[in-house]
């Protein structure tokens, strides 16, 4: 990757492992004419800049995903029309709604996963490849990965032992009051199996912020210490769910093996744009830009189901913190 990832140094006096961008939120709720809110969105390096897939709920509060482009990954031009899918490994393009996209580049193409409405939420998959156009505009929808109900489908950025690998969170058709992270494998992005449990929720007394449900957030980052996964954890409070972000390290060759996992959260709703919005108290990571050489990561998260924020950290410090403060 040649482009510089967005970055700000840790503010003076801050002792936290991760810190927020001072100009947050970087995307506002009304940034396209039809939107009610823009949040839980994913970004990737693209050409000499960046591209992204954005969750824009419209003013009828219908959920859909939109492509967007940026030179610096901070200022975004989001298309005013949602992504229109063509047939990929199937002609079955059923989708009642689309939300919470993730994007990753594997081998020769960008892959998008999202929560796809098909008799309830499940995991949709599409790609933009370099066969016809490498434009981040023409997307080919594939078979849903799983039966409903499932959410938070996150692909690994490379095949593991010759197979595609995806994290997901089996759920229900509502505001799921449970949820653990599983991994599944596929030889072809169509048929998924070898489902294994990766991480479960924690006992309340051990780490309450992740005691109700957890879900994969950003595409895992390959480090020498394992796959670094940013994930969300939820506690059910007397005022409803509160979503925070933690990190885990997964074994490089067998990612269903957890090496370490943060007992404290790395980022929890605290600023006004995280505690106030359509759904108060939500920090929901969906993407991360990183540079191993520069030891930097920028995590993109939905804030209060309304806007998009960015938080920064040093990869080596996050890895050290995860190992040193593991459950
Ligand atoms: C989840 C999803 C997310 C949302 C979160 C908090 O179930 O709907 O899109 O951010 O709840 O409301």
């Amino acid at each position: 990757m040649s482009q510089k990832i967005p970055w700000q140094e840790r503010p003076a006096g801050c002792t936290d492992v991760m810190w927020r961008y001072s100009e947050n939120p970087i995307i506002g709720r009304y940034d396209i004419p039809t939107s009610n809110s823009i949040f839980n969105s994913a970004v990737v390096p693209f050409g000499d800049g960046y591209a992204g897939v954005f969750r824009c709920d419209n003013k009828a509060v219908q959920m859909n995903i939109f492509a967007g482009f940026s030179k610096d990954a901070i200022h975004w031009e989001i298309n005013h029309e949602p992504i229109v899918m063509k047939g990929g490994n199937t002609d079955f393009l059923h989708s009642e709604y689309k939300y919470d996209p993730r994007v990753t580049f594997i081998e020769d193409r960008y892959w998008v996963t999202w929560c796809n409405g098909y008799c309830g939420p499940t995991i949709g998959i599409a790609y933009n490849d370099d066969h016809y156009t490498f434009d981040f505009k023409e997307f080919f929808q594939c078979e849903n990965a799983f039966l409903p109900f499932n959410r938070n489908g996150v692909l690994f950025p490379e095949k593991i032992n010759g197979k595609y690998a995806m994290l997901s969170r089996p759920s229900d058709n509502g505001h799921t009051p449970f949820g653990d992270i599983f991994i599944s494998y596929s030889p072809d992005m169509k048929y998924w199996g070898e489902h294994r449990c990766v991480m479960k929720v924690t006992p309340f007394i051990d780490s309450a912020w992740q005691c109700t449900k957890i879900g994969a957030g950003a595409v895992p980052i390959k480090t020498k210490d394992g796959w670094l996964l940013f994930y969300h954890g939820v506690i059910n409070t007397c005022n409803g769910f509160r979503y925070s972000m933690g990190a885990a390290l997964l074994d490089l060759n067998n990612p269903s093996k957890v090496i370490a996992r943060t007992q404290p959260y790395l980022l929890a709703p605290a600023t006004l744009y995280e505690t106030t919005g359509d759904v108060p108290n939500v920090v929901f990571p969906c993407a991360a830009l990183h540079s191993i050489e520069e030891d930097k990561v920028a995590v993109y998260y939905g804030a209060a189901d309304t806007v998009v924020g960015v938080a920064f950290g040093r990869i080596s410090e996050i890895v050290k913190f995860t190992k040193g403060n593991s459950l």
Side-chain angles (χ1 to χ4, degrees):
M1 188 176 91
S2 52
Q3 56 274 64
K4 288 269 173 210
I5 72 164
W7 184 252
Q8 269 179 346
E9 293 299 337
R10 178 185 272 111
C14 170
T15 54
D16 296 331
V17 193
M18 296 194 71
W19 56 95
R20 295 169 179 80
Y21 180 48
S22 61
E23 306 304 310
N24 271 354
I26 60 158
I27 297 170
R29 64 183 308 162
Y30 297 132
D31 277 7
I32 63 170
T34 52
S35 61
N36 164 72
S37 48
I38 307 179
F39 58 109
N40 299 2
S41 300
V43 305
V44 279
F46 173 75
D48 57 4
Y50 296 89
V53 179
F54 296 85
R55 169 176 174 177
C56 305
D57 294 6
N58 68 17
K59 291 181 177 73
V61 195
Q62 295 170 298
M63 305 176 282
N64 214 332
I65 56 177
F66 294 62
F69 300 89
S70 174
K71 285 262 162 281
D72 60 5
I74 293 287
H75 302 91
W76 288 90
E77 295 286 337
I78 301 173
N79 292 346
H80 293 183
E81 297 300 326
I83 294 172
V84 178
M85 298 287 176
K86 298 181 174 167
N89 64 18
T90 180
D91 292 329
F92 182 71
L93 303 185
H94 195 102
S95 183
E96 290 150 18
Y97 49 79
K98 298 183 180 74
Y99 66 86
D100 294 2
R102 281 35 172 219
V103 189
T104 187
F105 188 84
I106 311 175
E107 292 175 352
D108 65 347
R109 63 193 68 189
Y110 291 96
W111 290 95
V112 183
T113 54
W114 70 90
C115 192
N116 191 45
Y118 172 63
C119 307
T122 184
I123 306 303
I125 304 178
Y127 62 85
N128 168 249
D129 68 345
D130 56 7
H131 199 61
Y132 302 105
T133 53
F134 207 40
D135 56 1
F136 218 81
K137 286 186 184 121
E138 202 175 29
F139 287 92
F140 298 89
Q141 188 172 343
C142 299
E143 286 287 329
N144 291 329
F146 308 118
L147 292 168
F149 310 110
N150 203 310
R151 291 185 174 96
N152 299 301
V154 177
L155 286 165
F156 282 75
E158 60 185 65
K159 287 180 178 168
I160 295 173
N161 301 317
K163 292 179 191 136
Y164 296 104
M166 178 155 45
L167 301 167
S168 75
R169 211 272 311 281
S171 62
D172 67 11
N173 199 13
H175 299 296
T176 317
F178 61 87
D180 301 324
I181 299 176
F182 288 71
I183 191 167
S184 308
Y185 295 92
S186 173
D188 56 4
M189 280 283 186
K190 186 166 188 175
Y191 300 101
W192 293 86
E194 296 171 57
H195 315 291
R196 301 283 184 273
C197 184
V198 178
M199 297 202 307
K200 286 177 175 290
V201 294
T202 49
F204 180 80
I205 48 161
D206 291 342
S207 181
W209 66 269
Q210 50 183 331
C211 72
T212 300
K213 53 181 169 174
I214 54 173
V219 167
I221 296 169
K222 197 176 198 179
T223 75
K224 62 178 175 31
D225 299 276
W227 291 107
L228 173 62
L229 172 70
F230 293 99
Y231 67 96
H232 68 256
V234 180
I235 179 174
N236 195 8
T237 75
C238 57
N239 282 321
F241 289 148
R242 180 175 189 253
Y243 284 69
S244 306
M245 177 176 86
L249 286 166
L250 310 179
D251 185 89
L252 287 178
N253 296 315
N254 177 15
S256 62
K257 211 174 123 202
V258 179
I259 298 165
R261 167 181 180 185
T262 54
Q263 183 172 26
Y265 57 71
L266 293 177
L267 198 74
T271 64
L272 204 56
Y273 56 88
E274 294 160 353
T275 57
T276 307
D278 286 0
V279 183
N281 300 315
V282 180
V283 160
F284 196 94
C286 285
L289 297 173
H290 72 278
S291 166
I292 297 286
E293 302 75 47
E294 293 180 87
D295 194 23
K296 290 174 180 171
V297 65
V299 174
Y300 287 71
Y301 63 96
D305 284 13
T306 306
V307 297
V308 176
V310 181
F312 302 112
R314 294 279 178 193
I315 294 170
S316 62
E317 293 178 5
I318 295 165
V319 166
K320 194 170 161 215
F321 183 86
T322 304
K323 285 179 161 177
N325 295 276
S326 186
L327 275 161

